[in-house]
Amino acid sequence: MKELIDKLRRQTFLTKEEYMTLIDSRTPALAEYLSEQARAVRHQHYGHDVYVRGLIEFTNYCKNDCYYCGIRCSNRQAQRYRLTEEEILSCCESGYALGFRTFVLQGGEDPYFTADRMVKLIRSIKERYPACALTLSVGEKSREEYQAYYEAGADRYLLRHETADNAHYRQLHPDNLSPDNRKRCLRDLKEIGFQTGCGFMVGSPGQTTECLAEDMLFIKDLQPHMVGIGPFIAQHDTPFRDRPSGTLELTLFMLGLLRLTLPKVLLPATTALGTIHPLGREKGILAGANVVMPNLSPVSVRNKYLLYDNKICTGDEAAECKNCLSLRMKAIGYEVVVSRGDYPTESSERKETT
């Protein structure tokens, strides 16, 4: 199977069948070989730098009812909250002082945050912190709304596609959500000019090896700038409360495949990885990831934004999160850097080499 990994590292296109063969044939030895190749490619483009994103979970209201999500609209046990603009700007202020140069506004699809409110919020953040990048992760919108966000100053947009397989998508979402619309959103975002991110859960209910191979083909075709993946972890107030979690082992293998498939991709070692294993984020970095996302949200709301159970770092202040991650990365030979951490363009790479 090493020949398929070598083929992928040479940027030779793999078929769906080849991806499936590689995933189904994985062994500890093959996984280690994949991680070695993924690290080499990651070092080629990013060295040992780890980019940090300051995550601000600003609302846990959501109009959707996705079966896997703890903030789904039918969850009557969720303690709902919305941060005010002043509270969000305060999160940015403390994050900036700690060295963060990217802020990530993440929330449910909350009808309160209309296009006008979001545009006002985006402008306020970019006026105060013009040197910082702003990533949005607020779900499916019209092309016109995405365009308004972009013109207001938002730089990046993360929208996990969740699964590229239509039948699998139907197992995870109610009928009012469409896999075609999700993909339309991602293509609109790229065309508008956002640094665009997609992603999926590893081990979600109903997922097969074929689903994972379809994800890889979709991602290869989309050519996103970011890909966020993490293990599925059940939340106790959802229909999937009793389903087994995704595994660390398969998630790390998929991270390696993503690094070789898209060598320059911005690839987070997610909080979910750290939730299923004490060294999950470190292992993610060693598998080819290059981004971590400490939480800047007020501690008072951390334990209310629970997409899944047992989420880590809900009680830590922002400074504690960043300092802890810096020490963890240093322990494995990597360095958290103060940088926007943009996707490298040809012009930026030429500039660095001159």
Side-chain angles (χ1 to χ4, degrees):
M1 289 303 108
K2 287 184 178 180
E3 63 272 14
L4 288 179
I5 294 174
D6 294 339
K7 183 179 178 181
L8 196 54
R9 183 168 178 183
R10 295 194 301 269
Q11 282 295 280
T12 304
F13 181 75
L14 292 192
T15 65
K16 182 168 78 170
E17 290 71 24
E18 287 175 320
Y19 274 119
M20 290 175 66
T21 298
L22 198 48
I23 294 167
D24 280 338
S25 302
R26 65 190 190 278
T27 62
L30 188 68
E32 181 53 38
Y33 182 72
L34 173 60
S35 290
E36 289 170 2
Q37 301 306 308
R39 281 197 299 275
V41 171
R42 175 247 203 274
H43 295 158
Q44 178 183 343
H45 295 286
Y46 295 105
H48 286 70
D49 291 349
V50 176
Y51 298 140
V52 286
R53 317 304 200 194
L55 181 63
I56 305 170
E57 296 162 335
F58 70 106
T59 175
N60 74 344
Y61 283 88
C62 190
K63 67 180 184 180
N64 294 330
D65 209 23
C66 303
Y67 304 144
Y68 49 83
C69 184
I71 63 170
R72 62 198 305 258
C73 64
S74 66
N75 181 5
R76 301 291 180 253
Q77 304 307 311
Q79 300 176 55
R80 304 292 177 177
Y81 72 91
R82 294 185 183 103
L83 299 185
T84 64
E85 181 174 321
E86 292 71 26
E87 287 172 321
I88 293 168
L89 289 170
S90 177
C91 293
C92 294
E93 182 179 7
S94 62
Y96 190 85
L98 289 168
F100 290 90
R101 295 300 178 264
T102 290
F103 304 123
V104 181
L105 286 185
Q106 179 175 296
E109 292 193 26
D110 184 351
Y112 173 83
F113 284 98
T114 61
D116 288 344
R117 284 193 171 109
M118 285 300 300
V119 164
K120 181 176 181 292
L121 179 58
I122 293 163
R123 286 177 175 157
S124 295
I125 293 171
K126 293 296 284 191
E127 284 169 6
R128 291 200 190 188
Y129 305 100
C132 294
L134 179 60
T135 302
L136 303 179
S137 181
V138 291
E140 298 181 8
K141 309 292 179 183
S142 68
R143 186 184 179 106
E144 292 72 26
E145 196 161 340
Y146 288 146
Q147 186 72 46
Y149 295 168
Y150 188 73
E151 291 174 1
D155 303 279
R156 307 177 186 139
Y157 203 102
L158 177 61
L159 179 65
R160 285 191 177 191
H161 66 280
E162 299 303 357
T163 175
D165 182 276
N166 286 359
H168 185 217
Y169 192 94
R170 291 268 58 88
Q171 295 179 57
L172 302 177
H173 303 90
D175 289 342
N176 65 311
L177 296 178
S178 156
D180 292 336
N181 190 59
R182 183 64 61 105
K183 293 172 183 176
R184 184 274 306 168
C185 289
L186 286 164
R187 293 192 172 97
D188 283 350
L189 288 162
K190 275 205 74 180
E191 290 171 8
I192 288 167
F194 281 98
Q195 291 183 41
T196 302
C198 63
F200 56 91
M201 295 175 291
V202 177
S204 60
Q207 186 180 72
T208 64
T209 302
E210 186 172 5
C211 293
L212 290 170
E214 291 279 5
D215 285 323
M216 297 304 299
L217 295 184
F218 172 73
I219 289 168
K220 178 70 172 177
D221 177 65
L222 181 66
Q223 291 287 303
H225 309 89
M226 309 173 279
V227 178
I229 73 167
F232 164 76
I233 304 173
Q235 205 278 347
H236 64 276
D237 291 316
T238 69
F240 294 155
R241 62 180 67 85
D242 297 322
R243 300 298 183 92
S245 295
T247 65
L248 175 75
E249 175 265 330
L250 181 53
T251 305
L252 297 178
F253 199 83
M254 298 309 298
L255 282 171
L257 291 182
L258 284 164
R259 174 59 67 199
L260 295 188
T261 300
L262 299 177
K264 294 191 289 185
V265 74
L266 294 162
L267 196 60
T270 61
T271 302
L273 264 180
T275 297
I276 65 167
H277 191 283
L279 298 176
R281 286 171 295 183
E282 290 93 325
K283 289 177 179 291
I285 295 295
L286 292 171
N290 66 320
V291 174
V292 290
M293 297 173 66
N295 203 324
L296 295 179
S297 306
V299 172
S300 61
V301 302
R302 297 268 188 92
N303 63 354
K304 298 176 183 177
Y305 198 88
L306 295 179
L307 307 184
Y308 52 83
D309 286 344
N310 303 314
K311 183 179 176 184
I312 58 171
C313 299
T314 56
D316 294 345
E317 295 287 352
E320 291 177 306
C321 279
K322 180 174 181 289
N323 292 339
C324 173
L325 275 173
S326 295
L327 291 171
R328 283 171 170 265
M329 295 302 108
K330 191 167 290 189
I332 58 170
Y334 289 82
E335 190 76 25
V336 167
V337 295
V338 176
S339 167
R340 280 173 49 115
D342 286 302
Y343 182 86
T345 61
E346 289 186 16
S347 58
S348 68
E349 289 183 313
R350 282 199 300 270
K351 186 176 181 180
E352 288 176 6
T353 56
T354 57

